[in-house]
Amino acid sequence: MKLLDVINPATEELISQLPIDDGAAVAVKAQKARNAQAAWAATPLSERMACIQRFRGFVQAQLDDLAKIMSQETGKPLGHSRNELNGFLGRVDFFLAEAEGILKTETFYHQDGMCEQIQHIPLGLIGNISAWNYPWFVGGNVFVPGLLMGNAVLYKPSEFAAMSGLAMGRLLHEAGIPEDVFATLIGTADTGNALLAQQLDGMFFTGSLATGQHIANVMGPRMTKLQLELGGKDPTYVCADADPVIAAQSLADGAMYNAGQSCCSVERIYVHASIHDQFVQALVDTVRSFKMGDPLAADTYLGPLTRAPQIKVLEDQIADAKAKGARCLLGGQRSKGPMGGKGNWFEATVFDKVNHSMALMRDESFGPIIGIQKVNDDAEAIRLMNDTQYGLTAGVYTPKEQHAREVLSQVRAGTVYWNCCDRVSPRLPWSGYGQSGVGLTLSREGLATFTRPKAWHLRSN
């Protein structure tokens, strides 16, 4: 049996070895899940909700242990891991509160003996290839509403968050979710491809553009429900009337939180020329104050990169930016880190004098690096914000809400922010434009996406 090595990215130490699900194992779990789905869908919603409520209680009771597992396998600072799990509990609460309303049959016409209704039924068997950067958030956006709506779920956590994925499955089963209704698949790309080979009724993926395009090519001819969240190059515009220090402190956190490893991390900043210098100095001062340290230490803000290959991506972007005239104000290279020279550590990095000829301002960085570009007016900022293949999030800092609305209404992004950044709410849909993907999760629409509408025409005479 092949084993998956789980490596601590902060120390390069082997944490565990997990049995890999090969193609045959995936096929068996898929068949069992399909066979079990009808009975799960027939289970009263109140019982499905009770299972998820118990699961929530188990997560809350074991939060510190689950946070430690996540920090060990991803390098996420422990405080950030706790934040994620606490936020996950809130998302579960939202899904539980809204589930009954989504599944309620709606009557739109009832007259002269004719009744027209919409019933929402489960998709059936859904596959989910999840992400490592926020394993509980990203996975929970799919499997919690998927299970509540009556689906069976084949859940493949990222190989960089496999232990967290196994913990999710263990707690779901302990809460009463049948083992065949939620099955965890452990492995790398081969396991993911084996999942794609199954007869699925829905496929949900969060990850890179290249992998998302591969999944779309495989699943497209089957006419299977497909949701792809593929990242972004998220811009923010700091207007002339914004407080440069307050904006800088907020955006420093938006760019560097979780070492910049988030699809909605701030990756491009455009600042009005009149406050540019003040903003840049405040942002550099704030970023410099972020402590790099052991992910398990309480005061650590900046941990290692989860994936070692991303270091080369950052180094290439930095070399390209410098060659084209950008100025590195802070960081700019791999770090020895706090763990005796081991691990995937990279300095928090700030550039100005950047432009869109540079990969730093065009390609997703997914690391602790930010570029700041000076602009002269709203029109220039809007043009540059839209100069991207992505369209996930975008933000504006200004004291005037109407001004922010005018700017953001012209920006192609699925989520927009006024005087905030890098936040996700269960009450609002999570979707994107362009190469940021297709479909959505979260919100009432994100619950309904795990169902298919069935139209009823009922004549009584």
Side-chain angles (χ1 to χ4, degrees):
M1 177 181 290
K2 292 184 178 180
L3 298 175
L4 175 70
D5 290 343
V6 180
I7 305 295
N8 185 327
T11 64
E12 301 179 43
E13 294 175 347
L14 179 68
I15 301 172
S16 182
Q17 291 184 307
L18 305 175
I20 289 175
D21 288 289
D22 60 15
V26 172
V28 168
K29 289 184 177 182
Q31 188 59 57
K32 288 182 176 180
R34 180 165 291 284
N35 292 342
Q37 187 270 326
W40 176 245
T43 301
L45 175 61
S46 60
E47 294 184 26
R48 300 202 300 265
M49 291 174 64
C51 290
I52 295 298
Q53 187 68 59
R54 285 193 293 272
F55 166 70
R56 183 201 186 281
F58 293 156
V59 173
Q60 186 170 33
Q62 300 178 37
L63 191 144
D64 286 343
D65 290 339
L66 297 171
K68 185 175 180 181
I69 290 170
M70 190 182 350
S71 292
Q72 287 177 323
E73 66 181 348
T74 69
K76 186 193 296 280
L78 190 58
H80 295 189
S81 294
R82 290 194 181 107
N83 289 344
E84 179 178 346
L85 284 158
N86 279 311
F88 172 78
L89 297 177
R91 294 191 185 186
V92 174
D93 290 339
F94 173 80
F95 293 138
L96 287 169
E98 298 293 335
E100 186 174 4
I102 294 298
L103 289 176
K104 184 178 181 180
T105 297
E106 302 169 273
T107 299
F108 287 93
Y109 180 86
H110 198 175
Q111 188 173 330
D112 300 327
M114 175 60 73
C115 180
E116 298 173 355
Q117 295 181 327
I118 298 176
Q119 177 189 21
H120 295 274
I121 63 174
L123 291 175
L125 176 60
I126 62 174
N128 179 208
I129 298 177
S130 194
W132 48 263
N133 57 333
Y134 288 92
W136 285 85
F137 271 171
V138 175
N141 290 349
V142 175
F143 69 73
V144 174
L147 291 168
L148 282 172
M149 295 297 101
N151 299 281
V153 179
L154 298 172
Y155 179 67
K156 184 200 170 298
S158 166
E159 57 267 37
F160 300 102
M163 293 171 62
S164 292
L166 288 172
M168 296 169 197
R170 173 177 59 82
L171 295 181
L172 285 167
H173 297 153
E174 289 178 6
I177 306 291
E179 291 192 11
D180 291 341
V181 168
F182 182 90
T184 307
L185 309 177
I186 299 299
T188 57
D190 288 345
T191 303
N193 283 320
L195 173 58
L196 298 180
Q198 308 309 310
Q199 293 303 309
L200 303 172
D201 300 301
M203 182 63 214
F204 294 77
F205 169 75
T206 299
S208 71
L209 173 59
T211 302
Q213 290 172 327
H214 167 68
I215 292 172
N217 287 334
V218 172
M219 303 303 294
R222 303 187 205 167
M223 308 302 169
T224 300
K225 180 72 174 282
L226 189 62
Q227 189 270 342
L228 303 170
E229 187 205 321
L230 306 178
K233 190 67 181 173
D234 306 278
T236 298
Y237 170 37
V238 183
C239 301
D241 56 1
D243 184 311
V245 175
I246 292 175
Q249 291 171 343
S250 174
L251 289 169
D253 182 62
M256 300 296 166
Y257 191 88
N258 196 30
Q261 298 172 114
S262 172
C263 55
C264 57
S265 290
V266 177
E267 293 220 356
R268 298 179 285 148
I269 301 176
Y270 305 98
V271 183
H272 193 277
S274 62
I275 62 168
H276 173 270
D277 292 351
Q278 292 171 275
F279 174 87
V280 168
Q281 187 59 57
L283 188 134
V284 169
D285 290 344
T286 303
V287 173
R288 187 179 282 119
S289 72
F290 293 156
K291 181 180 178 181
M292 177 184 288
D294 181 347
L296 298 182
D299 60 346
T300 292
Y301 178 92
L302 194 66
L305 297 177
T306 303
R307 297 178 61 255
Q310 198 64 20
I311 292 175
K312 179 65 163 53
V313 173
L314 299 181
E315 289 175 338
D316 287 348
Q317 288 190 358
I318 288 168
D320 173 72
K322 287 181 175 179
K324 294 175 179 174
R327 180 173 62 170
C328 185
L329 302 174
L330 188 68
Q333 61 187 355
R334 182 169 185 160
S335 170
K336 290 183 178 180
M339 312 299 285
K342 299 279 190 174
N344 310 327
W345 299 89
F346 204 90
E347 295 177 346
T349 299
V350 179
F351 274 91
D352 73 348
K353 298 187 182 299
V354 296
N355 60 61
H356 278 221
S357 72
M358 303 171 186
L360 172 63
M361 298 298 281
R362 301 192 68 85
D363 300 333
E364 190 170 35
S365 299
F366 227 69
I369 180 171
I370 189 67
I372 307 167
Q373 185 167 349
K374 185 186 299 185
V375 296
N376 294 309
D377 53 33
D378 290 357
E380 183 180 10
I382 293 166
R383 177 180 62 80
L384 291 169
M385 292 169 84
N386 283 330
D387 183 24
T388 177
Q389 64 180 330
Y390 297 105
L392 191 61
T393 79
V396 166
Y397 281 73
T398 172
K400 300 174 182 175
E401 179 179 355
Q402 186 56 38
H403 185 196
R405 287 182 175 273
E406 290 170 357
V407 171
L408 292 171
S409 67
Q410 300 175 67
V411 178
R412 295 187 298 273
T415 292
V416 293
Y417 304 115
W418 172 44
N419 291 340
C420 57
C421 59
D422 190 30
R423 73 183 301 271
V424 183
S425 167
R427 294 168 291 278
L428 298 176
W430 192 246
S431 64
Y433 287 49
Q435 304 283 33
S436 286
V438 295
L440 58 88
T441 55
L442 297 176
S443 75
R444 287 178 57 85
E445 287 83 357
L447 270 162
T449 199
F450 295 96
T451 69
R452 63 179 84 249
K454 189 166 188 172
W456 290 79
H457 301 253
L458 305 168
R459 182 178 292 281
S460 61
N461 55 16

